[in-house]
Amino acid sequence: ADRKPFRIFSCTAITFCIFCLLSCKVDRLGSVLRPVKKEESKVWLRKSQKTFSQPLSGGSSTLDFQSMSQPIDKYMALRDLEANDPDMFHRLLQQNTTEILPFVYTPTVGEACQRYHELGIKTRGLYLNVSDAGSILKRLQAWPRQDIKVIVVTDGERILGLGDLGAGGMGISEGKILLYSAIGGIHPSKLLPICIDVGTNNKQLLEDPKYKGLRHPRIRKDTYNSLIEEFMQATKAWRPHVFVQFEDFANHNAFVLLERYREKYPCFNDDIQGTATIGLSGLLAAMRSSGGNLSEQKFLFFGAGEAAAGIANLIVMGLMNWHGLSEAEARERCILFDSKGVVSAERKSSLQVLEL
């Protein structure tokens, strides 16, 4: 009864934390930054005291973090702190993760992505777009920090549950990559958020004079595929062992890109694989608690997108490997139901790769 609730901020943090600590030789954040003193943390988080080397973007020289009523104001204040005193920011984030993370990642980052160009945010990541075709490697080689270990990349088409946010998707790459330092312990200088701007189908953005992304509909098919192919080849030529996370790609691209590159490059899709890892872990914990058996269950998914398909496929793998079921038997245990009804063989032509 006296235990504090355990909060899971992202499937990425847990999945990658294990990967990076066991498989990668990376500089640890904790070995570089001195521990923040408890009273020093409280000064910044709870008192009105100047902790910035420069004024805040709004012109204020003081900050009472707790008194800010709007999450987006806290988001902007934390971005200012990161820009002006990165050591303090990352020490606070690492040691006050529960309190700070909701304002630098979900849920607040959703509004930040929607208003990315309106808020006057100074981008921390790298933008690539169609005009960079043929020179992506040079763009990567020109990045100020070359010893990059992890890339979080998006094309901005399916940001959280908000849809196509175009170049504003940079905010999700910037937010997600903070988890690698806050929870994974990777030094921020080894992390690179990227947004590949291929246009947007969001009419509101295209008509917004403040929007700074490409002002044309999204490129598709061969042009899109060749740009992503060049990007993946360039990352390998630049940093052969860099870890690439695909973030918030639309379903029709997410499944295809994962299948295309998962055996060729160190990469993964958090929305498909990370969510599946945590989903199956929760089911296994429930089986231990209830005394049930995974092979005796049937699973109904309300939705058949990246998350549902990823979890279902991992359950199938578990049933096959741990309980000796055939693939057909295992798939019979998983029922996916989307806006068009039950996913079945009759709908094969309209389904994504991982739903089959």
Side-chain angles (χ1 to χ4, degrees), residues 93-118:
L93 179 59
Q94 190 180 43
Q95 297 175 47
N96 298 272
T97 308
T98 301
E99 188 164 12
I100 293 178
L101 200 56
F103 302 109
V104 295
Y105 191 52
T106 54
T108 311
V109 74
E111 181 180 355
C113 289
Q114 289 178 304
R115 302 174 58 192
Y116 198 84
H117 303 288
E118 169 195 338

Side-chain angles (χ1 to χ4, degrees), residues 18-219:
I18 298 171
F19 171 84
C20 69
L21 294 180
L22 297 181
S23 305
C24 299
K25 295 180 179 179
V26 294
D27 289 348
R28 297 297 308 285
L29 178 64
S31 65
V32 179
L33 301 178
R34 67 174 177 81
V36 63
K37 297 178 180 179
K38 185 175 182 180
E39 59 271 20
E40 185 180 13
S41 171
K42 289 183 177 180
V43 162
W44 193 86
L45 290 170
R46 297 183 174 86
K47 296 181 181 179
S48 296
Q49 178 165 327
K50 184 175 180 179
T51 58
F52 300 91
S53 57
Q54 299 176 13
L56 294 176
S57 59
S60 173
S61 60
T62 62
L63 174 66
D64 186 344
F65 186 76
Q66 294 297 337
S67 71
M68 293 182 175
S69 60
Q70 299 301 317
I72 195 65
D73 293 332
K74 295 184 179 184
Y75 174 88
M76 292 301 294
L78 288 162
R79 285 195 72 115
D80 280 332
L81 179 62
E82 183 180 13
N84 293 304
D85 193 344
D87 282 358
M88 170 65 86
F89 170 79
H90 285 287
R91 281 187 276 123
L92 285 168
L93 179 59
Q94 190 180 43
Q95 297 175 47
N96 298 272
T97 308
T98 301
E99 188 164 12
I100 293 178
L101 200 56
F103 302 109
V104 295
Y105 191 52
T106 54
T108 311
V109 74
E111 181 180 355
C113 289
Q114 289 178 304
R115 302 174 58 192
Y116 198 84
H117 303 288
E118 169 195 338
L119 294 170
I121 293 172
K122 184 178 180 182
T123 300
R124 296 194 304 264
L126 172 65
Y127 273 111
L128 299 171
N129 61 45
V130 183
S131 65
D132 292 313
S135 60
I136 292 179
L137 179 57
K138 291 182 180 179
R139 293 292 312 280
L140 292 172
Q141 292 172 334
W143 186 250
R145 299 185 302 274
Q146 289 292 296
D147 190 20
I148 298 299
K149 305 296 184 183
V150 181
I151 290 173
V152 174
V153 61
T154 186
D155 68 357
E157 189 169 8
R158 194 205 65 89
I159 301 301
L160 301 173
L162 304 172
D164 186 351
L165 299 184
M170 174 61 81
I172 203 70
S173 291
E174 292 174 326
K176 176 57 70 68
I177 212 158
L178 289 173
L179 301 177
Y180 288 89
S181 57
I183 302 176
I186 310 303
H187 195 276
S189 66
K190 312 297 181 183
L191 308 174
L192 175 59
I194 292 178
C195 180
I196 301 179
D197 185 1
V198 296
T200 179
N201 294 337
N202 187 325
K203 293 182 179 179
Q204 185 176 353
L205 289 178
L206 293 173
E207 296 171 357
D208 186 348
K210 295 181 180 179
Y211 181 63
K212 299 178 182 178
L214 296 179
R215 293 179 178 274
H216 60 65
R218 286 182 170 272
I219 63 171

